[in-house]
């Protein structure tokens, strides 16, 4: 293996797109619902829809 560069361990603080990981409490029912609908991508889609409605 050439070079001694190592990837940083753990989750990145920010993604290349500028996003970041968040941790917060959700009830079990909400977790199951979000996972069933596509997880973080589903949440992002819903936020975009709400922003468009509230313009």
């Amino acid at each position: 293996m050439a070079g001694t560069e190592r990837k940083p361990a753990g989750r990145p603080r920010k993604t290349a797109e500028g996003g970041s990981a968040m941790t917060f409490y959700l009830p079990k029912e909400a977790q199951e619902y979000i996972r069933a609908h596509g997880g973080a991508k589903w949440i992002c889609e819903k936020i975009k829809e709400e922003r468009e409605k509230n313009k």
Side-chain angles (χ1 to χ4, degrees):
M1 186 172 214
T4 59
E5 292 184 38
R6 291 177 20 176
K7 290 184 177 180
R11 186 184 307 179
R13 291 184 183 263
K14 293 207 173 202
T15 65
E17 298 85 24
S20 62
M22 296 180 67
T23 304
F24 51 91
Y25 173 82
L26 289 173
K28 186 176 179 181
E29 298 82 21
Q31 294 172 25
E32 293 168 355
Y33 188 86
I34 290 168
R35 286 188 185 118
H37 287 83
K41 290 181 181 180
W42 179 78
I43 293 171
C44 291
E45 289 172 13
K46 290 298 178 183
I47 291 170
K48 287 178 186 176
E49 289 172 10
E50 283 296 314
R51 283 183 161 173
E52 290 298 318
K53 276 199 278 185
N54 294 326
K55 279 189 175 182

